């Protein structure tokens, strides 16, 4: 028999419990069980006035933010609509059926104001990491480090050549993203680095965005060039928990340098220092290896960045024997390569760009039968030995161990997190601009990934 809805007047009173309508296996139930925002109000107390109308609860704003990043809701307007309509979202945000959802403008105002000024997103991220540590999800023995580029919220057609002079004060004046860029311009000066062979030269950017000048112009993914920022993750290898995150321009120098600040910050905040750090070749520069070994007592499970291997079938640097006592190399023919061949009245260091250069004698090379295999295009052979060669040698020795081979497999965990971030959580393009915008988005995304 066909059913028919009665035309009686609807009930005036309902006994409705939101908790009964959220599935037991819902993702937000698991997150709510572990997420504790009890100290948020205390952390934010100094950023609110003691008088006037009560503000929106900061815990509500953070819970909405977690919902957005966990379920890939990138628009703040759409997030407010989703929380208004979805019962599970309302339940997680501690909102009843009749409670009003703060409008998107209020949400944006707090997110770009009080939350950023108080560094609350960093506070929430670290509280989640501590929760993971309490649940024994952090081993602390091995960390992995890697970086990935993220498209910036900048139109690739709205830019100018890096060689042109840009008047940032035109129109209504510089935007927040431009002000941040100008304020940090001196801090991001790569001339302050001791440039090694692997490092990029401190050149003028090819193209500068007018909306987000801190973003870097790149064609790293093989397609048309666009503006990007870099997201850097430091993860624990036990369960893939993100221990720290850093936003940097898409320069290899600054990506690698972020490793130092993240490892130091984890040690300071959580009293945790790994025994080994796993990374790709970008982190295998001599200075970085020396910092890990000498300064931090950490084993670098990183391929050594080595320019001494040749592909033209001539002798590589590894074919030369290093003699520590006599401070010289010996070539396959038995001739010596030295940093100096005569005594100077004023001793010279013979160090150029953190390398000591060892040269053979031109007379030895001229009559050598192996010259065509050694230096066919130059009158003599030279080898640049890093001042941190001891650290490079130790890293090469580590690379021959079974633990290192396992570390190479474990490093995929950080790459999986980047894939999850872009494909599942839909964070393939930033919505906030400037260094602080990238910092906020990356911290929020890393918090959501740890909670998931």
């Amino acid at each position: 028999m066909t059913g028919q809805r009665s035309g009686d007047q609807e009930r005036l009173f309902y006994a409705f419990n939101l908790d009964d309508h959220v599935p037991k296996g819902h993702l937000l139930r698991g997150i709510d069980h572990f997420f504790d925002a009890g100290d948020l109000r205390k952390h934010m107390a100094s950023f609110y006035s003691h008088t006037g109308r009560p503000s929106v609860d900061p815990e509500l704003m953070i819970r909405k933010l977690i919902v957005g990043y966990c379920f890939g809701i990138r628009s703040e307007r759409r997030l407010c609509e989703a929380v208004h309509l979805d019962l599970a979202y309302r339940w997680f945000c501690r909102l009843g059926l009749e409670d009003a959802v703060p409008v998107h403008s209020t949400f944006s105002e707090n997110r770009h104001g009080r939350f950023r000024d108080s560094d609350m997103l960093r506070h929430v991220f670290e509280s989640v990491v501590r929760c993971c540590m309490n649940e024994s999800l952090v081993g602390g023995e091995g960390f992995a480090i890697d970086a990935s580029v993220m498209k910036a919220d900048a139109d690739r057609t709205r830019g100018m050549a890096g060689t042109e002079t840009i008047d940032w004060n035109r129109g209504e004046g510089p935007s927040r993203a431009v002000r941040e860029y100008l304020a940090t311009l001196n801090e991001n000066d790569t001339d302050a680095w001791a440039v090694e062979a692997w490092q990029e030269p401190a050149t003028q950017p090819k193209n500068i965005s007018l909306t987000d000048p801190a973003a870097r112009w790149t064609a790293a993914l093989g397609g048309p060039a666009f503006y990007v920022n870099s997201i850097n993750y430091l993860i624990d290898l036990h369960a893939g928990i993100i221990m720290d995150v850093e936003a940097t321009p898409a320069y290899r120098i600054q990506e690698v340098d972020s490793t130092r600040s993240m490892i130091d910050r984890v040690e300071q905040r959580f009293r945790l220092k790994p025994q080994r750090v796993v990374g790709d070749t970008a982190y295998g520069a001599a200075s970085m290896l020396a910092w890990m070994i000498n300064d931090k007592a950490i084993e670098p499970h990183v391929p050594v960045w080595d320019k001494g291997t040749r592909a033209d079938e001539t002798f590589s640097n590894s074919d030369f024997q290093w003699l520590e006592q006599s401070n010289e190399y010996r070539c396959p023919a038995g001739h010596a390569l030295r940093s100096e061949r005569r005594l100077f009245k004023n001793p010279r260091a013979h160090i150029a760009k953190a390398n000591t250069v060892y040269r053979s004698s031109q007379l030895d090379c001229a009559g050598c039968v192996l010259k065509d295999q050694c230096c066919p295009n130059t009158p003599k052979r030279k080898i640049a030995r890093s001042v941190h060669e001891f650290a490079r040698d130790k890293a090469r020795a580590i690379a021959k161990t079974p633990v290192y081979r396992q570390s190479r497999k474990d490093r995929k965990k950080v790459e999986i997190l980047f894939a999850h971030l872009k494909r599942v959580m839909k964070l393939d393009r930033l919505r906030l601009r400037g260094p602080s915008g990238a910092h906020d988005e990356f911290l929020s995304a890393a918090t959501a990934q740890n909670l998931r």
Side-chain angles (χ1 to χ4, degrees), residues 66-84:
I66 290 174
V67 168
Y69 279 92
C70 280
F71 294 95
I73 305 175
R74 306 287 296 117
S75 167
E76 293 171 353
R77 188 186 297 269
R78 283 190 55 236
L79 176 59
C80 292
E81 293 174 354
V83 173
H84 175 72

Side-chain angles (χ1 to χ4, degrees), residues 196 286-290 294 354 385-393:
E196 299 184 39
S287 59
M288 176 57 68
L289 297 175
N294 299 330
R385 180 179 176 85
S386 171
V387 295
H388 305 300
E389 196 65 29
F390 170 78
R392 288 158 57 95
D393 289 340

Side-chain angles (χ1 to χ4, degrees), residues 1-6:
M1 182 175 66
T2 303
Q4 182 178 356
R5 184 175 179 272
S6 65

Side-chain angles (χ1 to χ4, degrees), residues 23-36:
K24 298 300 181 183
H26 199 283
L27 174 64
L28 290 179
R29 278 198 179 274
I31 291 178
D32 183 70
H33 179 71
F34 292 102
F35 179 66
D36 182 13

Side-chain angles (χ1 to χ4, degrees), residues 141-388:
E141 183 271 335
F143 286 178
I145 181 71
D146 205 358
S148 182
V149 295
M150 187 75 65
K151 289 183 179 179
D153 185 25
D155 190 343
R156 62 188 303 271
T157 63
R158 295 200 68 243
M160 296 182 66
T163 55
E164 298 184 25
T165 302
I166 302 176
D167 181 13
W168 298 109
N169 292 314
R170 61 185 176 182
E172 298 180 357
S175 63
R176 176 190 55 80
V178 172
R179 293 196 301 270
E180 290 180 1
Y181 167 73
L182 297 176
T184 59
L185 196 58
N186 292 332
E187 298 177 11
N188 294 335
D189 185 3
T190 54
D191 287 332
W193 275 73
V195 179
E196 299 184 39
W198 64 274
Q199 292 176 332
E200 300 157 347
T203 58
Q204 187 75 15
K206 184 177 181 180
N207 201 297
I208 297 179
S209 170
L210 298 178
T211 52
D212 189 359
R216 298 304 176 189
W217 180 257
T218 182
L221 301 182
F226 51 89
Y227 296 105
V228 300
N229 289 287
S230 281
I231 176 172
N232 300 267
Y233 272 179
L234 179 70
I235 74 163
D236 181 82
L237 291 174
H238 176 62
I241 297 300
I242 304 168
M243 300 302 298
D244 206 349
V245 57
E246 189 84 14
T248 63
Y251 280 152
R252 182 180 295 163
I253 296 174
Q254 291 169 309
E255 290 173 355
V256 173
D257 189 43
S258 68
T259 305
R260 307 180 188 224
S261 59
M262 287 192 287
I263 290 178
D264 286 340
R265 185 159 50 219
V266 168
E267 184 178 5
Q268 178 185 3
R269 303 287 177 87
F270 307 115
R271 300 294 187 266
L272 199 62
K273 188 179 71 172
Q275 298 176 20
R276 59 189 171 107
V277 169
V278 185
D280 58 23
T281 312
Y283 303 90
S287 59
M288 176 57 68
L289 297 175
W291 178 79
M292 291 187 192
I293 294 173
N294 299 330
D295 296 350
K296 307 301 292 185
I298 297 174
E299 286 190 358
H301 288 224
V302 178
V304 177
W305 187 285
D306 192 355
K307 291 283 188 176
T309 302
R310 296 189 173 186
D312 57 358
E313 298 183 355
T314 59
F315 293 139
S316 300
N317 288 357
S318 58
D319 296 320
F320 291 73
Q321 181 184 8
W322 169 248
L323 303 177
E324 184 71 34
Q325 293 182 348
S326 56
N327 189 30
E328 65 182 21
Y329 279 96
R330 286 286 177 174
C331 72
H335 301 302
L337 284 75
R338 300 190 179 98
S339 58
E340 58 183 24
R341 291 188 172 273
R342 64 187 178 90
L343 296 177
F344 292 91
K345 184 176 180 180
N346 297 321
R348 301 183 181 183
H350 300 282
I351 298 177
K353 295 182 179 179
N355 294 322
T356 303
V357 181
Y358 293 80
R359 295 179 175 84
S360 63
S361 169
Q362 188 169 341
L363 292 176
D364 290 339
C365 291
C368 183
V369 295
L370 300 178
K371 186 177 187 304
D372 291 339
Q373 294 178 263
C374 183
C375 51
N377 302 319
T378 57
K380 57 184 177 180
R381 179 64 182 259
K382 66 178 181 180
I383 295 177
R385 180 179 176 85
S386 171
V387 295
H388 305 300

Side-chain angles (χ1 to χ4, degrees), residues 390-408:
F390 170 78
R392 288 158 57 95
D393 289 340
K394 188 167 184 178
R396 293 188 185 102
I398 293 173
K400 299 176 182 178
T401 62
V403 179
Y404 177 86
R405 289 192 290 271
Q406 182 61 43
S407 294
R408 305 314 301 162

